[in-house]
Every structure is written in C-alpha cells, then in structure tokens.
Amino acid sequence: MANYNISIIKGDGIGPEIVDEAIKVLNVVGKKFDINFSYNEYLMGGCAIDACGNPLPQETIDGVLASDACLFGAIGGAKWDNLPRELRPESGLLRFRKEMGVFANLRPAMVYDELVDASSLKPSVIQGVDIMVVRELIGGIYFGEPKGKDEFKGWNTMVYTVPEIERIAHVAFKLALKRGKKVCSIDKANVLDVSQLWRDTVIRIGAQYPDVELTHMYVDNAAMQLIANPRQFDVMLTGNIFGDILSDEASMLSGSIGLLPSASTGEKTAVYEPIHGSAPDIAGMGIANPIATISSASMMLRYSLNEIKAADAIDNAIKKAMKDGFRTKDLAAFGAVEVVNTSKMGDIIASNI
Ligand code: IPM
Ligand code: MG
C-alpha cells in the first residue's frame, strides 16, 4: 500500500471548511485505490498570528518541508489587515513560497460544460477552454533587490537570472507535452531588458522540445487575446507579476472562482490550494464551494504523488456532481437541480468515487 505524509494548512475564513471536504474525498479515493494518507496540521496566516504572533511559524516551515505535499486552504481577513506589512498574512505567504522553493505555480483555467453560462463571456467564446498558466512564483519583481520606499519615491526591481528562467521553462514544456503541445511565453520584450533575456532563454530551452510549438506574446496583447479568443492557448508561460494578473483574468473565463485549483511545485515539496481566498464574509456558514480545494487534492495526486487513476477518479466525480445538477450557493443560478451546502457537496463527490 502506498503511504503519503500530507501536511495540512487550513488557514483562515472558509479555509477549514473546504479543506475538511478535500480530506473527506482523499480518504475515500485512498480506500478505493489502496493509498494511505497520514495528515499533520500546521498553522499559517491570521490563525498563526493569533496563536503565536507570527504568520509563518518555524514549525510550519519544517513540517511542510518534511511532507510529501501540502494541502492548503486560504489565509487572511480584515481582522489582520491593519498590521504592519511584514506581519500580515500575505507576507507570510510570500515567505512561505520562498522557503518551500515552489518556483512553479500551475493555475489551470477550464470551463465545465454545464457552467458555460456562468461566465461573463459568451458561451461560444469560452466553450472548451482548457488553459494552464505556468507562473514563476519566487522571483521577478516580487522579490527583486533593490526595493524600498521613502517619502519621495518607491522602487522595486524586476530581475530574472538564466537558471530561474530555464527551470520554469522546462516545467512549461514538459506540461505541454502531456496536454495540447503548445507553449505561449508571455513577456514585455519590446520594453524590458529582463523580458528580452526571458525570451532568448525560453527559445533556447524550447529547442530541446521539438514536439512543442512555441510562440511569444506581449503581456498587453495576451490580456486582450484571453478575452478575444481564449481557446488559442494551451500552456501560458510567464513571470511572477504577469502571471499574477493573467491568472486572475483567465480564472474568470470559467465563471466561478470557487472551482479552480492550483499547484505550486519545486524541488523540495509542493503546495496545492484553491485559487480563491479565505472569503471571511461567508466563513462558518457552510455555504462555501469546496470544489476548488477538492480539485487541488486531485492535482496533488496527479503532480506530486503520481497517482493518476485516483486523480482522474476525483476529477470525474466532480464532473458528475456538476452534471447531476448539484450546486453550492455561488452557482445556484446555473443549472441547479439541488442547491447543497459545503459538506453535502463533499459527500456527493465522495460517493461518486
Ligand atoms: C496570488 C495572490 C498573492 C500574489 C498575494 C496574496 C500576495 O494574489 O496568489 O495570486 O500576489 O501572489
Ligand atoms: Mg493574485
């Protein structure tokens, strides 16, 4: 029997409710495919600030690094927004990504057929969209030096080294080989030196993947193309800040932020989390959509644990729940046969497995 050590960070707001549903589904899929998960829970974000005055305790860093993979809920909330920036949950998150070495952030944007009407774009534009944004996560302008501010000016530095670009490019090309065999690299090479280096390096690495078609696009045009004709994209490869922006844009093609998972991978460990936030306004009400988190657990099985059949089983169970018309409140207006709460949605997906 395969055995995996999974670290769990439930976080703040709706984090605990949605992670519980993902664990429920993992346990069922584990039973079916003879996989044993042992879970260890750690604190991060606002709950860690409340418990020990630090959004990212050392125990969390050590525990997650020692695990096979981490399942993460969401962090943050108005309660901690007025703290100095270094103490805020977001700073803990950036430090966490860096400490974990998770340089590759995979953010899929796909459209469930049953929900084509939920998007603000026309069904004819979004039907069949299946994009994977590969965002570099621990470099670029988020971390570049020098940075700072005084009374008169503020400054940050967008910097990438060749090895940083090479390793993220490999991730994108390898993923493309398993998907639609296309990589579109997004940059601003008409203006930025760092983007010229990015483009040169991606072209050089791309030559090692003759089966993948490589194209390049300026980020402003990419923002436009995502709305005009999103089906043209398969893998979109980009740096930290462009990826931050484009992945939010891409997520809206699907119509609901409650559905999309993400993976942050590196050489040491990997972190799987929904792309949505901690939604403090609906925390504890039992109405949050757990699908993005359950889908993140599926990505964990697929990309970290290589349990492809188990991952497929979860994905199919989610699709069946959608097809059968079960909807949480956020999607009640789109083809609901029955509106269910967070825990019932978890039960339905688990029983579909
Ligand atoms: C994201 C978020 C974070 C980011 C924030 C919360 C620091 O927007 O994960 O996309 O900018 O990376
Ligand atoms: Mg973002």
Side-chain angles (χ1 to χ4, degrees):
M1 181 190 273
N3 249 303
Y4 301 108
N5 171 8
I6 309 299
S7 49
I8 301 284
I9 295 176
K10 293 185 177 175
D12 307 315
I14 58 170
E17 303 159 52
I18 54 181
V19 171
D20 283 345
E21 298 314 307
I23 292 175
K24 184 190 277 176
V25 170
L26 273 176
N27 288 338
V28 171
V29 92
K31 220 171 247 156
K32 172 150 184 187
F33 293 94
D34 217 19
I35 307 167
N36 182 56
F37 302 103
S38 28
Y39 307 102
N40 289 298
E41 210 176 312
Y42 300 97
L43 293 180
M44 192 177 144
C47 57
I49 296 175
D50 289 349
C52 57
N54 176 356
L56 180 60
Q58 187 63 39
E59 200 193 324
T60 301
I61 297 174
D62 296 340
V64 176
L65 279 176
S67 68
D68 293 310
C70 174
L71 189 63
F72 190 105
I75 59 163
K79 184 176 169 198
W80 305 281
D81 273 353
N82 294 323
L83 291 168
R85 206 181 50 193
E86 332 67 80
L87 292 177
R88 291 212 345 215
E90 290 85 346
S91 305
L93 180 64
L94 294 183
R95 203 148 54 78
F96 180 66
R97 291 173 177 168
K98 194 80 173 175
E99 295 269 6
M100 297 305 118
V102 287
F103 64 87
N105 184 215
L106 317 185
R107 298 188 169 186
M110 30 87 99
V111 175
Y112 288 92
D113 280 344
E114 295 77 22
L115 296 176
V116 284
D117 292 321
S119 174
S120 52
L121 294 184
K122 291 194 192 99
S124 61
V125 174
I126 56 153
Q127 190 133 42
V129 160
D130 184 5
I131 298 172
M132 180 70 86
V133 178
V134 176
R135 168 190 178 192
E136 200 291 327
L137 199 60
I138 57 174
I141 199 167
Y142 274 50
F143 294 92
E145 299 281 352
K147 61 176 171 187
K149 83 174 191 341
D150 59 27
E151 270 107 79
F152 180 64
K153 63 176 183 184
W155 61 99
N156 289 89
T157 306
M158 186 141 153
V159 51
Y160 273 115
T161 63
V162 168
E164 283 176 317
I165 304 166
E166 286 177 344
R167 65 182 183 177
I168 190 76
H170 280 295
V171 170
F173 285 112
K174 288 199 174 111
L175 260 172
L177 280 176
K178 294 191 192 160
R179 298 171 40 97
K181 301 196 168 50
K182 292 200 293 184
V183 169
C184 182
S185 173
I186 314 295
D187 61 37
K188 191 71 185 173
N190 50 346
V191 177
L192 304 175
D193 299 281
V194 57
S195 280
Q196 283 165 15
L197 183 77
W198 178 279
R199 191 175 282 214
D200 295 344
T201 308
V202 171
I203 290 173
R204 188 163 44 72
I205 298 300
Q208 299 174 28
Y209 298 86
D211 293 339
V212 178
E213 178 197 311
L214 171 64
T215 55
H216 305 270
M217 207 178 266
Y218 299 136
V219 62
D220 50 348
N221 185 29
M224 188 172 81
Q225 295 297 329
L226 262 178
I227 302 298
N229 176 17
R231 267 192 304 265
Q232 70 186 287
F233 296 111
D234 175 26
V235 173
M236 297 178 87
L237 163 64
T238 191
N240 205 342
I241 195 159
F242 297 159
D244 179 44
I245 299 163
L246 292 177
S247 64
D248 264 28
E249 189 187 357
S251 74
M252 277 297 97
L253 301 172
S254 87
S256 167
I257 196 142
L259 298 176
L260 296 175
S262 78
S264 304
T265 70
E267 268 128 38
K268 304 187 237 182
T269 186
V271 182
Y272 295 85
E273 61 182 304
I275 66 161
H276 60 71
S278 59
D281 52 320
I282 58 163
M285 293 165 69
I287 59 172
N289 189 341
I291 291 184
T293 314
I294 296 171
S295 185
S296 301
S298 155
M299 280 189 98
M300 177 174 87
L301 290 164
R302 189 179 305 283
Y303 293 109
S304 278
L305 311 179
N306 205 27
E307 298 283 357
I308 310 298
K309 279 189 193 139
D312 287 344
I314 295 182
D315 292 351
N316 290 334
I318 294 172
K319 282 190 194 130
K320 179 162 167 37
M322 299 268 77
K323 197 170 260 144
D324 292 344
F326 294 107
R327 302 281 187 273
T328 40
K329 199 165 166 244
D330 50 319
L331 293 173
F334 302 99
V337 174
E338 189 184 336
V339 177
V340 297
N341 65 19
T342 308
S343 151
K344 178 89 190 284
M345 183 59 97
D347 290 342
I348 290 161
I349 293 170
S351 76
N352 286 347
I353 289 170

